[in-house]
Every structure is written in structure tokens, then in C-alpha cells.
């Protein structure tokens, strides 16, 4: 069989990235794939392709990760994800004070293929105006703890977002293994949250400094695509101590105007606001952003074991293969799970294996 041979990159000295591991451990010995380019080495082996990955000390049975959002909103759905076989789960983003979050209904709008967006057409675009979790932090922490007790060998990662407040970030970081949400386009920017940080490299550097000075576990920074050059904040995040980056979050959008009611969609009591665009329509944009980050990481951080998680419009195994070929170590899925269910991971794994067999790749 053939295998992908990417260059080795590195991480902070400590890299066990399991949820609620509050101390760093030496990572197991492994060789990480590089970001860009590959070589094929032929062999006579006909073994089943190996989908397992080890990233920043995280051992996963496959590279498919539930992306932060509605699919990771509570214990029940995250348990379902583990039972179905997802490689890891990133929970819905939390903050210290859930009381400031009010999620409205309806908060989703869909773009369909076909004439005039026919209601029968295939969904190709999805917009949401959903905020971060409106559930109390202590409730979420209790459920995280229960999941880790029931699935000690599975990877559960918290996603966190806070205001521009060092003490608040430090209090939140005391508790979790984390992906930092610097990327939500409608994530309360008036409070300097979400993309408001990811679009401001000076602010990003300061906040990353607070986080990585306090964190006892590896940190991934989630990047916004709503910026001219996504490599700039990615570079700052890695230079400021983060072990990895995730890209992309949703793209700022207005799904459309209802020409009967003359109201934008989604419409809440006659009002709306720009939201985050996802689904298969953003996949080519996400590929370009991930490729840009991968090339930058290879050129500027080639001596370190940093990780890259690709996100955007993944509904098939081939979608994931594209991200991996361009340099991603793991692939996140959020809208795809909302549309097709948690069982989608079995299809993704089967299709990715078929792709690997076709090209004689023995491992990710």
C-alpha cells in the first residue's frame, strides 16, 4: 500500500489533550503528517487503510470531529456522537455567564439548488444566527465530567469564548482542554467576542497570551474566514503559544429577502441580522483558506508539531480527503451532522477508506 508522507511539525512540550486533563503529560511517540505535498511509497501490503490519527497527543480512531455548535450542545447528543463512532467531539461554545445569551427562533435559513430556491431543491447553503450556549456553565461542566467518566478513552474538547477580560479568560481556562472561538461572525462583537478578536491581530495576540500563560493543556485557535489574509491571525495564534488552529468558521452572510413579506431571513418578529454561512457551498472557500494556513505553517513553523483542523462543507469522505491532502490533520463536521445525523460518520469513514484504497494509501 502507499502512504502519505508529510513533514513533521511540533507542539508545546506538553501534549495530552483530553478533556479536563489539568496537567500536561509527555505525548506518546508518534510521527505527525506535514501540511503540504505528499510522496507515495509503494508496498505489497493489502491491509485495510488505517484511519487513526494522533494529533497533539490526542489519539483518535478516525480524523472526523464533531465541530462546535448544535451537535455538541448537551450530554445526550455528545453521547450519541461517541456511540456512533466520531473520532472526537468539540462541545458547543461556552462562557462564564450564560445569562447574557438569548437564542431566538427561528435562527436558521437555508439556500436550495434549483429554480428560485425551490423548497424541493437540495440544500447547498445554511445560515445561522445562533449564539453560544445559553446553558449554565456549571451544567455543561457536570455533563462533560459525566461523559469523560463514561468514555475515558474518547476525546472531548471544550470550546470557549469570553469578553475582553483577562480575569474571565483565566477563570474559564482553569477548567478545560480547549478550542478558542476567535471566529463566530455574529458572536457578540460589541463585547469583543468571537470574530471581533480573530480579525484584530493585536487583540488576538494579547488574548492568546493570557490563555497560553494559564493553560495546562494544548490550545487550538479557531480562525474566522471573514478577513483578507487568514494566515495573519493563524500566525499570531501559533506564535503566541497555541498548539493548533482550526479553520474555517462560518462566513458572514444574509441568506436572502423574502419577496412576499419583504423581510430578510431568518426573520424573528420582523427583524434579522447577518449570520454565519455554512454547508457545501462554502467548501471551496474553506479549502483555499486551509491551504493558505498549511503553506504558512510549513514554511514558518516546520520545526514544530502544530496541528491544523479543516472545517467547511464536509458531507462526504471525498470532502475530507481534500482537506487532508491540503494539510489538515483532522476534519470537523457541524452542519453536515445537523442535516444528515450522527450516523454520517460511518459513511464518511467508509468513503475515506475507499478513496485511500483507490490511491494505495495505507494511513492518514
Amino acid at each position: 500500500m502507499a502512504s502519505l508522507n508529510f513533514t513533521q511539525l511540533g507542539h508545546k512540550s506538553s501534549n495530552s489533550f483530553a478533556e479536563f486533563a489539568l496537567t500536561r503529560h509527555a505525548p506518546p511517540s508518534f510521527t505527525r503528517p506535514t501540511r503540504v505535498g505528499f510522496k507515495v511509497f509503494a508496498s505489497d501490503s493489502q491491509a485495510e487503510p488505517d484511519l487513526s490519527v494522533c494529533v497533539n497527543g490526542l489519539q483518535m480512531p478516525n480524523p472526523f470531529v464533531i465541530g462546535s455548535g448544535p451537535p455538541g450542545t448537551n450530554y445526550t447528543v455528545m453521547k450519541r456522537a461517541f456511540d456512533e463512532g466520531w473520532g472526537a467531539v468539540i462541545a458547543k461554545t461556552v462562557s462564564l455567564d450564560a445569562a447574557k445569551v438569548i437564542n431566538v427562533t427561528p435562527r436558521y435559513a437555508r439556500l436550495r439548488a434549483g429554480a428560485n430556491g425551490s423548497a424541493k431543491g437540495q440544500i447547498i447553503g445554511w445560515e445561522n444566527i445562533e449564539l453560544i450556549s445559553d446553558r449554565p456553565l456549571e451544567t455543561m461542566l457536570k455533563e462533560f465530567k459525566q461523559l469523560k467518566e463514561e468514555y475515558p478513552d474518547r476525546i472531548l474538547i471544550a470550546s470557549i469564548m469570553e469578553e475582553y477580560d483577562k480575569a474571565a479568560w483565566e477563570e474559564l481556562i482553569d477548567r478545560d482542554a480547549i478550542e478558542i472561538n476567535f471566529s463566530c461572525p455574529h458572536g457578540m462583537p460589541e463585547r469583543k467576542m468571537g470574530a471581533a478578536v480573530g480579525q484584530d491581530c493585536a487583540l488576538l495576540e494579547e488574548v492568546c497570551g493570557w490563555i497560553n500563560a494559564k493553560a495546562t493543556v494544548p490550545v487550538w485557535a479557531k480562525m474566522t474566514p471573514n478577513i483578507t489574509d487568514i494566515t495573519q491571525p493563524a500566525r499570531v495564534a501559533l506564535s503566541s503559544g497555541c498548539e493548533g488552529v482550526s479553520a474555517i468558521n462560518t462566513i458572514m452572510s444574509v441568506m436572502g429577502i423574502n419577496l412576499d413579506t419583504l423581510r430578510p431571513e431568518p426573520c424573528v418578529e420582523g427583524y434579522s441580522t447577518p449570520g454565519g454561512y455554512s454547508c457545501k457551498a462554502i467548501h471551496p472557500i474553506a479549502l483555499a483558506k486551509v491551504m493558505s494556513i498549511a503553506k504558512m505553517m510549513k514554511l514558518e513553523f516546520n520545526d514544530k508539531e502544530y496541528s491544523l483542523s479543516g472545517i467547511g462543507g464536509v458531507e462526504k469522505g471525498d470532502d475530507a480527503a481534500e482537506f487532508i491532502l491540503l494539510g489538515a490533520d483532522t476534519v470537523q463536521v457541524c452542519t453536515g451532522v445537523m442535516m444528515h445525523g450522527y450516523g454520517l460518520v460511518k459513511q464518511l469513514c467508509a468513503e475515506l477508506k475507499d478513496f485511500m484504497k483507490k490511491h494505495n494509501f495505507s494511513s492518514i
Side-chain angles (χ1 to χ4, degrees), residues 207-260:
V207 175
C208 281
W210 298 341
I211 293 166
N212 287 298
K214 187 76 173 178
T216 56
V217 292
V219 175
W220 294 357
K222 191 171 184 179
M223 299 286 102
T224 175
N226 302 295
I227 190 169
T228 303
D229 182 359
I230 198 170
T231 66
Q232 293 183 3
R235 179 183 296 109
V236 168
L238 295 175
S239 297
S240 300
C242 295
E243 277 79 10
V245 294
S246 306
I248 60 174
N249 205 323
T250 53
I251 299 171
M252 182 70 82
S253 67
V254 173
M255 183 59 78
I257 308 297
N258 185 314
L259 297 182
D260 293 322

Side-chain angles (χ1 to χ4, degrees), residues 1-4 39-43 45 356 359-363:
M1 300 290 283
S3 62
L4 298 180
K39 297 178 181 178
V40 178
F41 298 92
S43 75
S45 171
M356 294 168 71
H359 293 279
N360 291 329
F361 294 145
S362 62
S363 68

Side-chain angles (χ1 to χ4, degrees), residues 108-181:
Y108 305 125
R110 299 160 183 83
L111 178 68
R112 295 180 183 270
N116 299 318
S118 167
K120 296 182 180 180
Q122 181 185 22
I123 297 173
I124 60 172
W126 185 289
E127 182 197 353
N128 83 88
I129 56 172
E130 183 163 310
L131 298 177
I132 61 178
S133 178
D134 53 8
R135 304 177 73 227
L137 177 62
E138 292 306 320
T139 299
M140 294 292 282
L141 292 174
K142 180 180 178 181
E143 293 182 359
F144 292 165
K145 183 174 185 293
Q146 184 178 355
L147 282 165
K148 285 306 298 179
E149 289 173 350
E150 294 177 9
Y151 298 88
D153 60 336
R154 307 306 293 274
I155 304 301
L156 175 62
I157 302 168
S159 172
I160 65 172
M161 184 165 71
E162 256 307 330
E163 298 185 34
Y164 180 63
D165 181 338
K166 182 179 181 182
W169 278 109
E170 289 180 340
E171 183 176 350
L172 199 57
I173 288 162
D174 260 344
R175 305 170 185 253
D176 309 292
I178 44 180
E179 178 184 78
I180 309 296
N181 187 337

Side-chain angles (χ1 to χ4, degrees), residues 81-103:
F82 284 140
D83 288 340
E84 290 289 349
W86 288 85
V89 173
I90 302 178
K92 185 170 175 61
T93 302
V94 296
S95 66
L96 289 176
D97 181 13
K100 63 191 174 190
V101 178
I102 300 175
N103 277 310

Side-chain angles (χ1 to χ4, degrees), residues 16 30 32 203 279:
S16 163
F30 65 93
R32 277 186 69 266
L203 198 61
C279 202

